[in-house]
């Protein structure tokens, strides 16, 4: 069984407090699941804590904040955790709350759900805004509004200055949106959480973020959920299968090891006990140069995009949503 010290960390730079630094564990547990099942989420989180996981990723959209909060509370009461300071907790601002006056109430509601006094990281979930009264998901074209990124980010900065979160960042931001933000941000984003795996390697974005001091956290590092009978570009990759067989590892471990070797952290969603353990057994060995070269040649395909989240009801199919050209950008080079 892994100890809590077996998962290495990376430092995030928080510019609001004279260059103070926050350590993010390089492997975390994602809690997004559809359909959401709290009866399986809480036990999985408690088991993950026993295995050594200390980074937990949630969001208001996921509906998992309360289950995570209950698990943390139980872990502290039963001695699985010594103190809150052992944990790194990430949550996210959903698009219906991406309005300047709704940011502080949103994070305070998240903290109530989690039974915590502060987050370690709070992210803008998507560079997009929805009407406050809109249904959270699926996204309806008629509910999309222009995002006032500057004002929303100022409210995020207020969250950090007030001590409601130790650091702030973004999710699903491309280089164009990051460049826009860096023109006015008093506190630059510490993290950009994006889809990243061997089938969507994000080379351009990684290089940009590294140059700007923005840490990347990868979600869907195993390719994400697929439709029944549909191949997964990661788990079903012949290249990754061959490397895994030669190394005596699983395909998942090879994929996660590749992500780790790119200098980023990751959140992996699995509530299976065996896979929870397997997913943190990616340290103490490495891929060869030949392995890395083969992986670099895997065909690239982005899976997660806002247009793919739009409601496709017959009455909405003819609607043109607010311009998403700066949101759904497929950056390959």
């Amino acid at each position: 069984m892994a100890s809590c010290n077996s998962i290495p960390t990376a430092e995030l730079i928080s510019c609001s407090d004279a260059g103070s630094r926050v350590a993010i564990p390089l492997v975390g547990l994602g809690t997004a699941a559809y359909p959401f099942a709290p009866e399986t989420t809480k036990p999985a989180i408690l088991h993950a804590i026993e295995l050594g996981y200390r980074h937990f990723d949630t969001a208001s959209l996921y509906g998992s904040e309360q289950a995570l909060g209950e698990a943390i509370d139980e872990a502290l009461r039963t001695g699985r955790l010594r103190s809150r300071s052992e944990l790194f907790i990430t949550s996210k601002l959903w698009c219906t709350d991406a309005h300047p006056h709704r940011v502080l109430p949103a994070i305070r509601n998240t903290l109530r759900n989690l039974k915590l006094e502060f987050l370690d990281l709070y992210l803008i979930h998507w560079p997009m805004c929805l009407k406050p009264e809109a249904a959270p998901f699926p996204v309806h074209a008629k509910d999309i509004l222009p995002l006032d990124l500057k004002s929303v980010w100022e409210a995020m900065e207020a969250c950090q200055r007030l001590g409601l979160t130790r650091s702030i960042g973004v999710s699903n931001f491309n280089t164009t949106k990051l460049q826009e933000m860096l023109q006015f941000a008093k506190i630059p984003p510490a993290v950009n959480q994006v889809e990243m795996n061997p089938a969507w390697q994000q080379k351009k974005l990684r290089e940009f973020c590294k140059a700007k001091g923005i840490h990347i956290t990868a979600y869907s590092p195993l390719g994400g959920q697929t439709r029944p009978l549909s191949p997964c570009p990661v788990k079903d990759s012949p290249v990754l299968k061959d490397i895994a067989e030669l190394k005596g590892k699983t395909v998942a471990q090879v994929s996660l090891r590749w992500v780790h070797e790119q200098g980023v952290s990751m959140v992996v969603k699995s509530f299976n006990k065996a896979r929870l353990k397997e997913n943190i057994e990616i340290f103490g060995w490495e891929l060869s140069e030949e392995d890395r070269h083969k992986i670099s040649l895997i065909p690239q395909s982005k899976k997660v995009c806002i247009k793919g989240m739009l409601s496709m009801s017959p009455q909405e199919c003819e609607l043109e949503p607010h311009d998403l050209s700066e949101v759904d950008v497929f950056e390959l080079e």
Side-chain angles (χ1 to χ4, degrees), residues 139-318:
V139 173
H140 294 268
K142 63 182 176 60
D143 293 327
I144 299 175
L145 299 173
L147 171 65
D148 182 355
L149 183 57
K150 184 175 185 294
S151 296
V152 170
W153 188 248
E154 287 172 350
M156 294 286 287
E157 291 173 331
C159 292
Q160 182 164 325
R161 285 195 298 269
L162 290 168
L164 301 175
T165 181
R166 297 175 71 202
S167 53
I168 52 177
V170 296
S171 182
N172 299 296
F173 273 51
N174 54 50
T175 57
T176 300
K177 299 306 291 182
L178 289 171
Q179 285 173 326
E180 176 187 343
M181 172 179 282
L182 291 173
Q183 295 299 311
F184 54 73
K186 294 182 176 66
I187 305 175
V191 170
N192 186 16
Q193 186 183 119
V194 295
E195 177 186 5
M196 179 179 159
N197 55 61
W200 188 245
Q201 298 182 10
Q202 295 276 29
K203 183 178 179 182
K204 178 180 179 180
L205 183 64
R206 283 191 281 119
E207 290 174 349
F208 178 88
C209 287
K210 183 177 181 180
K212 301 298 183 181
I214 302 170
H215 178 81
I216 284 185
T217 295
Y219 71 76
S220 296
L222 299 178
Q225 296 179 338
T226 56
R227 295 177 180 178
L229 304 180
S230 297
C232 174
V234 173
K235 295 177 184 177
D236 296 314
S237 166
V239 171
L240 297 177
K241 286 181 178 180
D242 288 345
I243 294 172
E245 184 175 355
L246 288 171
K247 290 201 168 296
K249 304 294 182 181
T250 66
V251 170
Q253 287 173 324
V254 169
S255 178
L256 298 181
R257 179 67 201 184
W258 178 86
V259 172
H260 170 65
E261 290 186 5
Q262 308 317 302
V264 309
S265 59
M266 69 193 85
V267 289
V268 194
K269 189 270 165 184
S270 177
F271 293 167
N272 177 280
K273 287 187 175 182
R275 287 195 289 273
L276 279 168
K277 184 173 184 292
E278 174 187 311
N279 289 344
I280 56 174
E281 293 175 339
I282 62 168
F283 308 107
W285 58 278
E286 62 181 27
L287 299 169
S288 68
E289 286 297 328
E290 183 181 2
D291 295 334
R292 297 183 193 107
H293 177 67
K294 289 177 180 177
I295 291 173
S296 73
L297 301 177
I298 291 176
Q300 297 295 286
S301 60
K302 191 177 192 300
K303 183 177 178 183
V304 182
C305 62
I306 280 290
K307 288 183 180 178
M309 298 180 187
L310 291 177
S311 168
M312 296 304 291
S313 61
Q315 61 269 35
E316 285 201 304
C317 283
E318 301 302 318

